[in-house]
Amino acid sequence: MTNERAKRFPLGLEDLVREPRRPEGRPGEVRAAALAASAALNARQQPARNSPPGPALKSKPQSQAQARLQTAVQARPQPKTQVAPQSIAPPRPQAAPSVKSQTKSVVHVQSVTQRAASSSPLSSQSAKPATRSSERTAAPNVALNGALALTSERVRERMVERLRANGVTDQRVLNAMAVVPRHMFVDPGLAAQAYEDAALPIGHHQTISKPSVVARMIELAAAGRALDTVLEIGTGCGYQAAVLSQVAREVYSIERIKPLSERAKTNLRPLRIPNIRLHYGDGRLGLPSTAPFDAIVIAAAGLDVPQALLEQLAIGGRLVAPVGSQDGQNQVLTLVERLGPAQWRESRLDRVFFVPLKSGVI
């Protein structure tokens, strides 16, 4: 483009195409010139449409300049220069699903999951948060007791089978061992060992006897008879008294250690056993006010059997006790049968290990 032509046409076509967004001059002036050129061109072309083509269609230099200007204006991206940026509204995003509807659907899924949880061991991935929430809100001790109760039913059956294999034949005793939940009488940390054939600590240097020893002593005391009243010396945690309650009509139990006596009450209370009478006192003295007893079971070892207990045994009754040194050595499970007013018969049976039998209360 020559300098003379540049003076006549300040807006070149190539400039407009190369930089369409930054034209020379003000937008208002360009728009006014474009409208004027368009009007003039339309006025010239209107009569030419009704006449045959000829020399009249030839344009003068001024008309060619106006045509070039019109073409350049038409080539401009009109919306970008004519429309103010602030008047263009951004496109609206697609409407998201209603929060209320989402909440309702989630609640529905959770409710369906909770209803099906009891019948199906598997759940969908979306139902897991509801399951975890129900687990958090549930009381931990209730869940633990329920799990242990379901587990203990199976392990108690296996325990009873072991007792039968070891020689326990009295079906009443086996049934009693199968019914009483031993895990409720031991510390929670030892609950997993509750049905092993082992003595477990219960505090105050005392223990809960092995299930095999408990079953053996009760079977010896009953000897196939129907028991009316039974006396237990050494309540401990209350487990053996609970088993005796399934065999005898009335069970009296004495404990000389006050905290253990209270613990036995706490352990037995949920079981609601109506025929157990707990006493806090010296076991070597027995309970003369409720004697005589059809059977007496002593859960501690003395050098001999206290004479007071022998006197409180009914004629024909049986007393079972560990007898021997109180250091745990040479203790023997002993059976004493009362044959008459002043006649007893003693039988020495099994080697055992018990805590010492002491006098007084603490």
Side-chain angles (χ1 to χ4, degrees):
M1 182 183 292
T2 62
N3 293 336
E4 182 179 358
R5 190 172 182 181
K7 291 179 182 180
R8 293 176 58 189
F9 303 101
L11 298 176
L13 179 60
E14 53 271 19
D15 294 334
L16 291 173
V17 173
R18 189 166 53 249
E19 296 183 5
R21 297 187 181 183
R22 299 177 61 184
E24 296 182 4
R26 297 179 181 179
E29 294 176 357
V30 175
R31 179 176 174 76
L35 293 177
S38 178
L41 182 62
N42 291 337
R44 290 177 181 271
Q45 290 179 352
Q46 187 66 27
R49 292 176 182 175
N50 300 327
S51 60
L57 293 177
K58 295 182 179 180
S59 302
K60 296 181 180 180
Q62 187 176 3
S63 300
Q64 292 176 358
Q66 291 176 352
R68 286 185 177 184
L69 183 60
Q70 181 182 6
T71 304
V73 172
Q74 292 177 355
R76 285 176 58 88
Q78 295 290 340
K80 295 183 180 179
T81 57
Q82 295 180 1
V83 181
Q86 60 271 20
S87 63
I88 301 177
R92 293 185 178 181
Q94 294 182 354
S98 173
V99 177
K100 292 183 178 180
S101 63
Q102 291 178 349
T103 305
K104 290 180 180 179
S105 63
V106 172
V107 171
H108 176 69
V109 171
Q110 291 179 352
S111 61
V112 171
T113 304
Q114 292 172 355
R115 288 196 300 268
S118 60
S119 59
S120 176
L122 301 177
S123 59
S124 62
Q125 186 175 7
S126 61
K128 288 182 179 179
T131 305
R132 290 173 184 158
S133 176
S134 64
E135 289 177 355
R136 286 194 296 267
T137 56
N141 58 339
V142 173
L144 180 61
N145 288 339
L148 285 175
L150 293 176
T151 304
S152 67
E153 291 179 3
R154 295 189 293 270
V155 296
R156 282 204 302 271
E157 292 176 359
R158 292 195 291 269
M159 179 187 70
V160 170
E161 292 303 319
R162 290 195 302 268
L163 294 175
R164 182 180 286 108
N166 290 335
V168 179
T169 59
D170 193 327
Q171 192 59 44
R172 296 175 303 166
V173 177
L174 293 174
N175 291 342
M177 298 294 291
V179 167
V180 178
R182 191 171 187 252
H183 67 271
M184 295 182 63
F185 294 87
V186 301
D187 293 335
L190 300 174
Q193 307 174 42
Y195 298 100
E196 297 178 1
D197 196 28
L200 301 175
I202 57 175
H204 306 277
H205 306 287
Q206 306 296 306
T207 61
I208 178 175
S209 298
K210 296 179 180 181
S212 59
V213 173
V214 172
R216 173 71 167 153
M217 294 179 72
I218 295 177
E219 184 177 49
L220 287 173
R225 302 173 299 151
L227 299 179
D228 188 18
T229 58
V230 176
L231 175 64
E232 179 192 30
I233 307 301
T235 308
C237 61
Y239 173 68
Q240 185 168 255
V243 178
L244 281 169
S245 70
Q246 305 299 309
V247 178
R249 185 184 65 83
E250 205 77 29
V251 177
Y252 296 87
S253 184
I254 306 174
E255 175 58 54
R256 63 180 291 268
I257 302 175
K258 184 67 172 178
L260 283 182
S261 180
E262 295 299 324
R263 177 176 178 176
K265 292 179 182 178
T266 302
N267 292 339
L268 291 168
R269 188 175 295 114
L271 300 179
R272 300 181 180 275
I273 301 176
N275 60 333
I276 296 180
R277 305 288 182 264
L278 300 181
H279 294 267
Y280 169 59
D282 187 350
R284 291 181 63 93
L285 303 178
L287 288 176
S289 59
T290 56
F293 299 99
D294 296 325
I296 298 177
V297 178
I298 304 177
L303 295 176
D304 55 10
V305 178
Q307 186 63 33
L309 298 179
L310 292 175
E311 296 289 343
Q312 295 176 27
L313 187 62
I315 296 176
R318 297 163 71 95
L319 181 149
V320 181
V323 177
S325 61
Q326 295 188 347
D327 59 2
Q329 301 296 326
N330 302 319
Q331 292 182 4
V332 179
L333 189 63
T334 302
L335 170 65
V336 179
E337 302 171 83
R338 189 169 187 178
L339 304 178
Q343 186 179 4
W344 293 266
R345 182 175 61 195
E346 181 177 300
S347 302
R348 299 172 69 84
L349 305 174
D350 310 327
R351 292 288 300 271
V352 291
F353 181 85
F354 277 81
V355 296
L357 178 64
K358 296 182 178 181
S359 302
V361 296
I362 57 174

